Amino acid sequence: KPEVSDAIVRIVEQANEGVENLHVTWFGGEPLLAAAEILRLSERLVTVCEQRGIEYAADIVTNGWLLTAEMATALRAVGVRTAQVTIDGPEHVHDAARPHKSGGGTFARVIRNVVDASQHIDVSVRVNITRDNLAHVEQLLVELHERGLHDRVRVSFARVVDAPTAA
């Protein structure tokens, strides 16, 4: 909402002397669904930081669906330097875990976007490791290599465990 954006900018404007840098991470749900607002607010934050001598940097955590080359270029222009894209395994595993609302797969488009976006910003791929996809991680690494991503993106792994259920 505009009033939230205004409040965020005011906080930065009122930062005490001695504040040297501001780092923003855009995440939650799928932040690129609000890309226009992210770009607008980022422009404002960059301007305020420049006026106050504050170093500005940002990154984004995304599912990669909307992270096109054009979007990566626009994000770079407003200080977003890194995108973390979550992938849950090779194509058949990822598509089962993260289907599009139409029911189709998402892997092919996400990987295409990672390839394209990595030409404009740093991209890291986060692989969520569960007991269901552990056996397929090596296949994912092969698929990333086959698409030329082995030397263009960082890959990190995050163990995901089931939350305990209430008794």
Side-chain angles (χ1 to χ4, degrees):
K1 295 181 179 182
E3 56 270 15
V4 174
S5 293
D6 291 344
I8 292 169
V9 171
R10 276 193 307 277
I11 289 169
V12 177
E13 288 173 334
Q14 297 168 3
N16 293 327
E17 292 298 322
V19 173
E20 296 177 6
N21 59 61
L22 172 66
H23 187 101
V24 174
T25 299
W26 300 103
F27 72 100
E30 175 46 48
L32 289 178
L33 289 173
E37 185 57 29
I38 288 173
L39 295 172
R40 273 192 301 275
L41 181 53
S42 294
E43 285 177 355
R44 293 176 67 194
L45 291 171
V46 167
T47 298
V48 169
C49 286
E50 286 174 352
Q51 291 168 348
R52 297 191 50 101
I54 298 171
E55 184 179 328
Y56 179 83
D59 57 67
I60 190 164
V61 179
T62 173
N63 64 22
W65 184 258
L66 299 172
L67 188 64
T68 61
E70 295 77 18
M71 179 58 65
T73 300
L75 290 168
R76 175 107 184 150
V78 294
V80 177
R81 299 293 183 251
T82 305
Q84 180 187 85
V85 177
T86 307
I87 297 178
D88 288 335
E91 188 164 10
H92 73 281
V93 173
H94 180 86
D95 286 349
R98 294 179 182 260
H100 189 266
K101 64 182 178 181
S102 68
T106 57
F107 184 87
R109 178 171 165 169
V110 168
I111 291 297
R112 185 174 61 250
N113 286 348
V114 167
V115 169
D116 294 346
S118 68
Q119 297 175 39
H120 305 281
I121 60 176
D122 291 333
V123 177
S124 66
V125 171
R126 174 187 159 131
V127 183
N128 291 326
I129 305 294
T130 68
R131 68 175 73 120
D132 297 328
N133 72 354
L134 181 59
H136 304 283
V137 171
E138 186 174 349
Q139 182 182 350
L140 170 63
L141 295 176
V142 168
E143 289 183 20
L144 294 176
H145 184 82
E146 289 173 348
R147 287 168 171 86
L149 292 170
H150 60 284
D151 60 354
R152 291 176 68 186
V153 302
R154 290 180 311 282
V155 178
S156 63
F157 303 94
R159 183 173 161 232
V160 178
V161 296
D162 294 332
T165 56

